[in-house]
Amino acid sequence: TENSGILGGYTMAWTTPKTWVAGNTLTAAELNEQVRDNLTFLNSKPSADYVLDEASDYTTTSGTFVDIDSTNLSLSITTGGGDVLAWFTAICYPNTTNSPTHANFDIDVDGSRIGGDDGLQIAIASGSGTYAYDQRGFFVVRLITGLSAGSHTFTAQWKVASGWTMPAGAGTTSGPGGATFSLDIHPQFGVREL
C-alpha cells in the first residue's frame, strides 16, 4: 500500500518469505521478491513530521483536551500493523501571573487520546509570576502498540488550567506586559512506524 505520510512510506507490500526445500529452482523474480523487495519494505517504513514556522503563536484557555493545530499537527500514515513511535516537542508559557498553573499534552490516535486522564506530559509554571521565567520546554515521546494495518491519524492536543501560549516559530515573540524575549523555537511533531 502507498503511504500518505510526508517523509516516506511503503512502495510495495511485504511478501511472506518462502520456505525453500532442496532442489528448488531459484528465479530472478523470486530473488527480487524475496530479497530485494522485502528489504526495501523493511527500510521504508512510513513516517510523517511537521516543523512549525507559523505566522502566529497558538493560545488556548480550554480546560479539556483540544487539537493544538488540526491541520499541521495532525499527521496520517498508512502502517503495516507495526508499532509507531510518536514525538512532540515545543515550549510554552502561561498567559497569567496567577501561578502556579499548568498545561497538559497528549496525542490522539484515530479519535482516542492515548495518555488517559491528564495526558502524557505536563508543563507547570513556577509560580514566580514573571512570564519570561515561566517558559516551559517539554518533550513527549510514546511508543504506540496494537495498531492494525491501515491508515491512522495522530494529532497533538493540549489542555490548560488557565490561558497558555505556545510559540509557533514565528520569530521573536513579544511577551505579556511589553517584555520581549526570544522564543523562536520551532515546535516539532512526528510519527514513524518501527
Side-chain angles (χ1 to χ4, degrees):
T1 54
E2 185 65 29
N3 168 38
S4 59
I6 297 169
L7 292 181
Y10 299 129
T11 55
M12 59 199 60
W14 170 260
T15 301
T16 302
K18 180 177 177 176
T19 300
W20 300 91
V21 296
N24 281 150
T25 301
L26 181 61
T27 68
E30 286 175 322
L31 268 175
N32 289 338
E33 176 189 73
Q34 297 288 305
V35 180
R36 181 200 63 197
D37 294 351
N38 277 351
L39 288 174
T40 299
F41 175 87
L42 291 173
N43 196 39
S44 62
K45 295 288 188 158
S47 62
D49 80 337
Y50 191 83
V51 178
L52 292 164
D53 192 7
E54 311 309 311
S56 59
D57 297 337
Y58 297 106
T59 61
T60 189
T61 57
S62 178
T64 59
F65 280 99
V66 294
D67 295 350
I68 299 171
D69 179 338
S70 58
T71 300
N72 297 317
L73 296 180
S74 185
L75 306 173
S76 294
I77 59 173
T78 300
T79 70
D83 297 342
V84 173
L85 186 67
W87 65 90
F88 180 49
T89 184
I91 64 167
C92 55
Y93 60 88
N95 297 338
T96 176
T97 56
N98 297 325
S99 298
T101 183
H102 61 274
N104 299 71
F105 302 89
D106 207 345
I107 297 172
D108 178 279
V109 181
D110 299 331
S112 297
R113 289 187 305 103
I114 62 173
D117 297 329
D118 290 320
L120 295 171
Q121 183 62 278
I122 188 169
I124 301 175
S126 66
S128 67
T130 304
Y131 296 95
Y133 295 121
D134 277 342
Q135 298 171 44
R136 293 292 176 254
F138 66 92
F139 184 74
V140 175
V141 62
R142 176 68 185 266
L143 181 66
I144 303 166
T145 61
L147 293 177
S148 60
S151 179
H152 298 283
T153 300
F154 306 82
T155 307
Q157 295 188 329
W158 63 346
K159 73 173 185 176
V160 294
S162 60
W164 279 65
T165 292
M166 179 184 300
T172 301
T173 302
S174 179
T180 300
F181 42 93
S182 178
L183 292 176
D184 194 12
I185 304 297
H186 298 251
Q188 301 176 38
F189 181 50
V191 292
R192 179 175 173 84
E193 185 176 16
L194 302 177

